[in-house]
Amino acid sequence: MSSATLVSIVMPTYKFEYFEEALDSVLGQTYPELELIICDDSEDGRIAALVEEKRASAAFPIRYHRNETRLGELGSTARGIRLAEGEYVKFLHDDDVLQPECVEALVGVMEREPNVVLA
């Protein structure tokens, strides 16, 4: 592992409709020191199956957690934060996408500007 800062992307999820596009946007990040934490509230196994399918091509760990009981968006986000190991946390909802340089740009600002606490 390089000396780059680890970033945890926390994704609370329950909607399959746009999930693949959101997941692919994480997999396409130019910043290499990532982990993806998915906390799944969905009603079926489609999200889990897609995560397993995409995990093999990921250049970083994907940590999938199926919630035993529905936690909702706030509860799933809080669980993801507790599981995060990165110095920084980036939130991503299951119906949003990241531009490929998003995390790289955010880390750059945080590392260059010590007074910045949120990017």
Side-chain angles (χ1 to χ4, degrees), residues 16 18-21 23-24 27 38 45-56 62:
F16 183 76
Y18 302 110
F19 176 74
E20 185 170 12
E21 189 175 356
L23 178 58
D24 286 345
L27 295 173
I38 299 168
R46 294 184 297 166
I47 287 174
L50 185 58
V51 168
E52 282 308 309
E53 177 185 320
K54 301 271 185 170
R55 190 187 308 257
I62 298 176

Side-chain angles (χ1 to χ4, degrees), residues 29 31 34 39 44 46 51 62 66 81 91 96-97 106 114:
Q29 288 301 296
Y31 189 81
L34 297 175
C39 294
D44 58 34
R46 294 184 297 166
V51 168
I62 298 176
R66 174 107 175 131
I81 292 168
F91 301 107
D96 292 332
V97 294
L106 293 172

Side-chain angles (χ1 to χ4, degrees), residues 11-16 18-19 22 47 92-96:
M11 185 188 299
T13 187
Y14 68 94
K15 294 178 286 192
F16 183 76
Y18 302 110
F19 176 74
I47 287 174
L92 180 67
H93 293 208
D94 58 6
D95 59 356
D96 292 332

Side-chain angles (χ1 to χ4, degrees), residues 38 41 60 81 113:
I38 299 168
D41 254 357
F60 49 82
I81 292 168
E113 302 293 335

Side-chain angles (χ1 to χ4, degrees), residues 11 13 36-42 47-48 51 55 62-68 71 76 79-80 83-84:
M11 185 188 299
T13 187
L36 174 59
I37 301 164
I38 299 168
C39 294
D40 184 3
D41 254 357
S42 66
I47 287 174
V51 168
R55 190 187 308 257
I62 298 176
R63 298 170 46 207
Y64 172 85
H65 301 274
R66 174 107 175 131
N67 297 330
E68 289 182 22
L71 299 178
S76 288
R79 182 178 188 203
L83 295 167

